[in-house]
Amino acid sequence: MSSLKKIFDRDTWDEIFESISKNKTRTIITTIGVFWGIFIYIALAGSATGLENGFDDAFSGLSKNSMGVWAQRTSIPYKGFEEGRQPLFRLNDVDKLKSRIPEIEYISPGLQAGAFSGAPPLVTRGTRSDNFNVFGNFPVYAKISVIKIFDGGRYINEEDIKYERKVAVIGEGTQERLFTEGEDPLGKYIEINNVNFKVVGVTKFSQGSGFGSDSDITIPYTTFAKLYNRGDRYGFMFIAGYDYVNPNYLEETVMSNLKVLKTVSPEDDRAFGSFNIGSLFESIIKFTKGMVFLSLVVGIATIFAGVIGIGNIMLIAVKERTNELGIRRALGATPGEVKVQIVLESVFLTILAGIIGIIVGAFLLFVINIGTSGLEDFPFTNPTVPLAIVFGAFITMVTLGTLIGLIPAERAVSIKPIEALREE
Amino acid sequence: MIEIKNLHKSYEMGSSSLHVLKGIDFSVADGELVAIMGSSGSGKSTLLNILGMLDNSDQGTYDLDKIRIANMDEKKAANYRNKFLGFVFQSFNLINYKNALENVALPLYYQGISRKERQVIALNYLGKVGLKDWSSHLPSELSGGQKQRVAIARALASNPKVLLADEPTGALDSKTSMEVMALIQKINNEGKTILVVTHEQDIAEMCKRIVLLKDGVIVEDKKVKQNIIKNV
Ligand SMILES: Nc1ncnc2c1ncn2[C@@H]1O[C@H](COP(=O)(O)OP(=O)(O)OP(=O)(O)O)[C@@H](O)[C@H]1O
Ligand SMILES: [Mg+2]
């Protein structure tokens, strides 16, 4: 029988199972290295994917090429203006910016009380009251940030803006604290700084809806401006570019144009603050990509070390089994058959250890996933390892297992049968 | 059956070399039971190992059943050992993690015989050596005599032309030695050619012919009246 045919022979495998199962200690010690390697690899790679998915989720509510910009204070005197001026935006800047930068799709000016600006106002309903951040927004805000509204409610609309209506969209946290359980807040009134507002919608809080919390209150921009006497000035805006626009380019272009519009020195980097979701996202992606790569390197290295460990122990085992292999050869085992048996034992042990490692690793990821699924602020979702990577690791294991098995196999047949028999 | 001419064998040990077999001429006919005797170090095992194709000679010819055994590669040698030769060793050389039946079946495995058939044949040979009821026992659970009988069953399992036994009773007490020799006589009576290396005169006298080795040559080769063992 040819050596290759032996691989597919059930008897060959019976021999291997026998030799492996009847030498349990050896088998366990041999497999621990590879088991550990593949386990680490799966756990790391899965965690990296979980983080990546988690961050992906966390940012899913914001368009990737959107940015925020706000007025700070100038740091360089320019064209007769002293330094330390706050270059606040005006509503007509929206159209000016849009006409200067055709890449802009939406601009959403925002006013806020609490959050980045002052103390959060007191909001009262009946006997309950608490402080909440209040935002004044246009309907366009909902185009940049994904806002989910519970059934029956709505977001701020153009009519609200036009008639400066006293309506409010509240967060689910606000509802919880101001309304009794089971009470429908829609159509009910809340008092913000002693002014009555009618609740028209309740937002569902999701990780990805930007920087707010679950208890923010949004009222029409115009209502806010009138109530707090802001005129047409505002300090913060969200800007979204069209899908094709590079977010870094958008941020730079907006900044340089704002400097021109607001008469700020081109060198003044402190006059405005800004961020763009794209670059935030990008650095996180880079981080998770780095982690995936790291887990690949660590995993492969550990698997490698594990397989070398198998080879080492197989070498010792071959030495220990010299007499047995001598007996087998006296009984008619050809060198090829002896080699096939040792290589297959090595490959089989590698695969066995690998599969257990994959299963235990997957189980760990499963447990982590369940453990973290309740945690809203821990970005970790669906920690899976791509099948291709598992398959790749598998191929690597089998290849390495074969190559490393060849060494003890060669060693086993390099001596004469009689010398092998003499060994005790 | 066996025909050797002018067989030489030396062991190289560093710079010196030890000439162990110095021109052996020797032939064995079908169905013979030959004892090979000689003092320790006279080259008995060396000769038997060469006959068993476990070792190579340096010079001379060796024909086994009219087939010239010369410069074979290990693969071919393995096949010949498997088909033509059965071995029994002083130290039994059973595989310790295989039970009696599995040990006996092993040479059949290397013949490519199916598992079922192997088990039937192996059990049959275990019956022949009187150990049918011990088939599932590991070597560590058997006495010395039982181990040697398992080894004999294993050597017979592939139905070889020649059985080679190197001091088969060397590790056994005199009573179990008798049992093993009775078994060897029985197998010989069934027609098998057998060579037995031994130190002991009484064991040798249970064979049909005694060959005496001394200083690497055969100094005496005589037919003897076989001492047949009864009622053990
Ligand atoms: N592998 C070897 N390397 C070197 N010398 C060896 C080797 N095998 C045997 N010899 C030597 O060859 C000589 C013959 O050895 P052999 O084993 O054939 O003797 P023997 O007749 O079987 O002895 P015993 O009755 O003690 O078993 C001895 O001197 C021994 O030391
Ligand atoms: Mg000897």
Side-chain angles (χ1 to χ4, degrees), chain A residues 416 418-419 422, chain B residues 9-13 18-21 36-49 55 90 166-167 197-199 213:
Chain A
K416 280 193 278 186
I418 186 60
E419 283 157 9
R422 255 198 290 268
Chain B
K9 172 76 180 176
S10 307
Y11 288 112
E12 308 291 332
M13 285 177 305
L18 183 67
H19 203 171
V20 179
L21 301 180
I36 299 170
M37 294 197 71
S39 56
S40 187
S42 56
K44 307 181 295 292
S45 296
T46 306
L47 176 61
L48 205 74
N49 291 335
D55 206 346
Q90 176 176 355
D166 194 348
E167 305 197 32
V197 166
T198 182
H199 272 113
L213 269 182

Side-chain angles (χ1 to χ4, degrees), chain A residues 242-403:
Chain A
Y242 286 99
D243 283 342
Y244 65 86
V245 180
N246 176 317
N248 292 326
Y249 167 82
L250 181 71
E251 188 177 359
E252 277 166 33
T253 318
V254 165
M255 297 303 270
S256 58
N257 277 285
L258 275 178
K259 283 174 187 167
V260 176
L261 281 177
K262 309 313 291 182
T263 332
V264 169
S265 159
E267 275 83 49
D268 194 341
D269 289 330
R270 295 226 217 120
F272 304 104
S274 72
F275 63 85
N276 81 66
I277 303 296
S279 70
L280 279 180
F281 194 68
E282 213 170 89
S283 51
I284 286 163
I285 289 291
K286 260 190 205 145
F287 169 72
T288 55
K289 285 267 185 299
M291 241 193 90
V292 169
F293 181 73
L294 189 76
S295 65
L296 198 77
V297 171
V298 170
I300 299 274
T302 327
I303 292 174
F304 207 86
V307 174
I308 287 174
I310 285 196
N312 249 325
I313 292 173
M314 288 297 287
L315 260 179
I316 296 168
V318 160
K319 186 104 187 60
E320 254 175 23
R321 291 166 73 195
T322 307
N323 181 252
E324 177 201 328
L325 297 173
I327 297 169
R328 286 175 181 273
R329 289 170 71 188
L331 297 178
T334 62
E337 285 168 333
V338 171
K339 275 199 269 187
V340 165
Q341 178 173 356
I342 289 166
V343 170
L344 286 186
E345 275 184 33
S346 156
V347 172
F348 181 79
L349 286 178
T350 312
I351 292 178
L352 182 79
I355 288 178
I356 296 175
I358 288 172
I359 290 173
V360 176
F363 183 75
L364 178 78
L365 291 178
F366 174 76
V367 170
I368 291 178
N369 195 28
I370 289 189
T372 57
S373 66
L375 308 174
E376 278 286 6
D377 47 3
F378 189 70
F380 199 85
T381 320
N382 215 1
T384 52
V385 183
L387 218 58
I389 285 186
V390 175
F391 200 70
F394 210 77
I395 298 285
T396 314
M397 282 182 339
V398 173
T399 316
L400 287 178
T402 310
L403 290 178

Side-chain angles (χ1 to χ4, degrees), chain B residues 170-224:
Chain B
L172 305 175
D173 61 37
S174 57
K175 188 178 172 295
T176 21
S177 294
M178 287 304 120
E179 289 172 14
V180 167
M181 284 312 292
L183 184 59
I184 285 177
Q185 288 184 343
K186 181 180 135 200
I187 296 159
N188 175 246
N189 288 338
E190 288 168 11
K192 190 79 66 197
T193 312
I194 304 176
L195 274 67
V196 180
V197 166
T198 182
H199 272 113
E200 295 156 76
Q201 190 61 36
D202 56 337
I203 297 288
E205 280 166 8
M206 293 166 193
C207 301
K208 295 172 175 169
R209 174 183 165 195
I210 299 179
V211 171
L212 189 61
L213 269 182
K214 196 178 177 190
D215 294 332
V217 289
I218 293 174
V219 292
E220 198 183 338
D221 186 346
K222 60 177 184 196
K223 292 257 163 48
V224 291

Side-chain angles (χ1 to χ4, degrees), chain A residues 188-250:
Chain A
K188 307 274 163 56
Y189 286 85
I190 56 174
E191 271 177 39
I192 304 173
N193 282 346
N194 298 321
V195 180
N196 265 320
F197 280 81
K198 187 165 126 189
V199 176
V200 293
V202 179
T203 53
K204 194 179 218 151
F205 181 69
S206 72
Q207 264 298 314
S209 58
F211 302 88
S213 73
D214 68 339
S215 341
D216 291 336
I217 296 173
T218 305
I219 61 176
Y221 183 95
T222 46
T223 318
F224 192 114
K226 193 167 188 190
L227 211 62
Y228 290 89
N229 230 345
R230 297 286 173 91
D232 67 343
R233 288 161 181 273
Y234 63 95
F236 177 85
M237 59 184 152
F238 253 125
I239 300 175
Y242 286 99
D243 283 342
Y244 65 86
V245 180
N246 176 317
N248 292 326
Y249 167 82
L250 181 71

Side-chain angles (χ1 to χ4, degrees), chain A residues 15 18 324 328 331 416, chain B residues 55 82 97-98 102 110:
Chain A
E15 274 297 313
E18 201 180 356
E324 177 201 328
R328 286 175 181 273
L331 297 178
K416 280 193 278 186
Chain B
D55 206 346
N82 185 247
Y97 62 84
K98 285 178 177 285
E102 291 162 346
Y110 289 114

Side-chain angles (χ1 to χ4, degrees), chain A residues 150 170 370:
Chain A
F150 282 105
I170 63 174
I370 289 189

